[in-house]
Amino acid sequence: MLRLEGVDAGYGQRRCLDQISLEVRAGEVVALLGANGAGKTTTLMAISGLIRPWRGAIEFEGRPLIGQSPVEVVARGISHVPEGRRILPRLTVDENLELGAYLRPRDACRSDLERMRALFPVLGERRRQLAGTLSGGEQQMLAIARGLMAKPKLLLLDEPSLGLAPKLVRAVFETIRRLNQDGLTILLVEQNAYLALRIAHRGYVLEAGRVVLTDTASNLAQNPQVKSAYLGG
């Protein structure tokens, strides 16, 4: 479904990705692990068109992505839920959700709004509430739901557990698991490597912009290098 081959990218003169190659197959959850500054967020931004790689190839469903705008990437079926949620605090919950479907006919979104309210009941309860008044966990659920309103084939999730209490982290990860069980493909960047590897099928470990390790999630969870660096073992 998604393939990166030999991708270099950065900001100005600073290289953040160095010959990154990875793939995400349809129906998978793939975890992208690494310390801060390893290149995880830059990888997602390169896929979603927010930055243009210096060289290499990115393909989605066998067609090139490099050179397409973020709007075109969304139209192709990729939604990016960025780190920090980036909801619009002065708009209501429903208005934020409707913006997630801005490329689709308005009438086609009504059933999806109901689906989001069923998937995230708290959003239905707060549909007319300003998004900025929601709790951190509720804002994260809103950010994910807004990404789903575009009807993506591939969801890019960047640090969905960041800043959340443990109970809310578990709720968010259970939602991610259910979305995948319903057929959604997910590329997950997550600081909580333990939880990420529990729901992922495969994973990649990045260091200084390079892929240094890739394996099934279960094997990575037992790998001494991964356990020492990311699992506290």
Side-chain angles (χ1 to χ4, degrees):
M1 173 176 266
L2 176 74
R3 184 180 69 88
L4 281 69
E5 187 69 36
V7 173
D8 292 350
Y11 309 91
Q13 299 298 312
R14 183 165 64 94
R15 181 190 299 269
C16 297
L17 300 182
D18 187 358
Q19 293 289 296
I20 289 284
S21 295
L22 61 84
E23 66 174 340
V24 181
R25 303 164 194 146
E28 285 189 316
V29 177
V30 173
L32 203 54
L33 308 178
N36 289 339
K40 305 183 302 296
T41 292
T42 302
T43 300
L44 298 191
M45 293 176 70
I47 295 166
S48 61
L50 293 170
I51 65 169
R52 181 165 184 152
W54 300 344
R55 61 184 61 84
I58 303 178
E59 294 181 353
F60 180 64
E61 296 184 320
R63 296 166 51 203
L65 277 181
I66 292 178
Q68 297 203 314
S69 70
V71 171
E72 291 170 324
V73 172
V74 172
R76 289 274 300 276
I78 299 176
S79 280
H80 184 173
V81 180
E83 179 182 352
R85 299 153 199 159
R86 311 281 179 89
I87 52 115
L88 297 173
R90 296 186 181 181
L91 297 184
T92 66
V93 166
D94 270 5
E95 288 169 338
N96 269 270
L97 292 175
E98 288 166 2
L99 282 175
Y102 70 100
L103 292 180
R104 303 174 59 219
R106 188 177 183 88
D107 289 347
C109 300
R110 291 174 183 166
S111 62
D112 292 316
L113 279 172
E114 292 303 322
R115 178 170 167 258
M116 292 306 108
R117 292 167 189 153
L119 188 60
F120 304 95
V122 69
L123 301 183
E125 296 166 8
R126 290 160 171 65
R127 55 188 293 187
R128 295 183 177 86
Q129 189 170 324
L130 293 181
T133 65
L134 300 177
S135 70
E138 291 164 350
Q139 289 185 13
Q140 185 62 68
M141 292 176 185
L142 176 58
I144 294 173
R146 183 179 60 185
L148 295 174
M149 286 294 291
K151 299 286 280 190
K153 302 172 186 176
L154 171 64
L155 186 66
L156 310 178
L157 285 176
D158 196 354
E159 302 285 10
S161 78
L162 190 65
L164 300 184
K167 182 177 180 180
L168 292 174
V169 170
R170 288 192 293 272
V172 166
F173 269 79
E174 179 55 33
T175 298
I176 296 170
R177 187 194 304 276
R178 280 187 286 139
L179 290 170
N180 177 247
Q181 288 174 343
D182 289 341
L184 184 62
T185 305
I186 298 169
L187 179 56
L188 172 66
V189 167
E190 175 52 49
Q191 61 174 349
N192 190 325
Y194 174 74
L195 285 179
L197 292 174
R198 284 191 65 183
I199 67 169
H201 298 89
R202 295 185 302 110
Y204 293 84
V205 178
L206 270 59
E207 289 182 6
R210 290 175 172 262
V211 173
V212 296
L213 191 60
T214 181
D215 208 331
T216 65
S218 58
N219 284 347
L220 287 174
Q222 298 302 317
N223 183 290
Q225 178 184 348
V226 174
K227 291 173 74 172
S228 175
Y230 307 111
L231 301 177

